[in-house]
Amino acid sequence: MKRIAFMFPGQGSQTVGMGKPFYDEYPEVQELFREADQLLDVDLSSIMFDGSKEKLTETENAQPALLLSSFAVHTLLVKEGIKPDMAVGHSLGEYSSLVAAEAISFQEALPLVASRGKLMEEAFPKGKGAMAAVLGMSEEDIKQSLQHSAEDEVVDIANLNCPGQIVISGSKEGIETASKLLKESGAKRVLPLNVSGPFHSRLMKTANEQFSKKLNDIEFNDARIPVYANVSAQPVTEKEEIKDLLIKQLYSPVRFEESIRNIIDDGVDAFVEVGNGKVLSGLVKKIDRNVKTFAVQDPASLNDFISWYKEDL
């Protein structure tokens, strides 16, 4: 059998119309969307299919929308008898990976990520935080440059995505100052990200206590397959460790590149991006261009992957 790693996208991969191609073709996806609307008591389907980009981008909408679209695709793959050997998610995508690993039910995960999004929005005053992608610099060089940032402004490394692409997060003033410093220090580009807060920075620690309470209300199971955690980049299956890492994930860097390298070292035939967009597939190709990737985001790409998976079986 082929060894498959499922990858689940995080915030930033949302687009208006996401999930609609699957919704139009598969009754089980329609049922899943109806269930999600009821669970959240929000017309999430309409926000995803017809809503404004601004409305969908709001963290408390984007996070459940991404989980729903990923789980819908996962459901179709499982129906075909295709289950991953390991899973990884990018930030919010870690929750999708835990649902795929049966560590948490979809019914509990969906309201949880909506609450997570709300708490993240409220953790720091709107418009006062920022994030930026730094291109063409190593982690060590960025850390060296950030030592010269203003001491009273917070700037942290938030995402280690792939060689030459690292995201920083912090106060708006801190990010603006750091962006100038990094350009002067040799960064090819520093691109502001369209986000509503300083995610994966220490400024998110204020959401810790309330989020811990939310997690304690959720029934976790040991994961059926290894999930490579954002915080450690290591495979985890034990439920208490999973919960502990989810709390730390709010304010810790997403170690995506390291996670992918560890999965490759553990042996994998293909990475499959499950959900909306091709962002993670692109990152994997920059980490190792020899690795096979699929991005399943519509019925055609679903069938292409199924055909590849089942050939020679």
Side-chain angles (χ1 to χ4, degrees), residues 139-180:
E139 181 184 2
E140 281 310 309
D141 287 343
I142 291 172
K143 283 179 177 175
Q144 192 73 30
S145 294
L146 293 182
Q147 286 179 358
H148 305 294
S149 296
E151 287 184 14
D152 55 342
E153 296 294 346
V154 170
V155 181
D156 292 333
I157 288 178
N159 301 341
L160 296 149
N161 286 334
C162 67
Q165 189 189 119
I166 292 172
V167 175
I168 56 174
S169 178
S171 64
K172 191 176 179 187
E173 293 79 6
I175 294 296
E176 286 171 356
T177 304
S179 296
K180 290 173 189 168

Side-chain angles (χ1 to χ4, degrees), residues 147-249:
Q147 286 179 358
H148 305 294
S149 296
E151 287 184 14
D152 55 342
E153 296 294 346
V154 170
V155 181
D156 292 333
I157 288 178
N159 301 341
L160 296 149
N161 286 334
C162 67
Q165 189 189 119
I166 292 172
V167 175
I168 56 174
S169 178
S171 64
K172 191 176 179 187
E173 293 79 6
I175 294 296
E176 286 171 356
T177 304
S179 296
K180 290 173 189 168
L181 274 171
L182 291 166
K183 284 177 189 171
E184 289 166 7
S185 300
K188 287 181 183 174
R189 296 174 79 189
V190 182
L191 305 172
L193 299 184
N194 183 23
V195 294
S196 52
F199 307 138
H200 297 290
S201 78
R202 69 195 107 142
L203 296 175
M204 287 287 109
K205 280 193 173 183
T206 53
N208 256 17
E209 192 177 334
Q210 282 181 284
F211 188 62
S212 295
K213 288 176 185 172
K214 296 276 184 192
L215 281 181
N216 286 333
D217 292 335
I218 302 294
E219 185 180 344
F220 279 85
N221 306 304
D222 290 343
R224 186 185 60 80
I225 56 170
V227 173
Y228 286 71
N230 286 180
V231 173
S232 65
Q234 297 297 321
V236 293
T237 54
E238 202 274 322
K239 61 185 177 182
E240 290 306 321
E241 187 179 6
I242 288 169
K243 281 171 71 172
D244 180 53
L245 289 170
L246 286 178
I247 294 166
K248 291 176 181 172
Q249 193 226 47

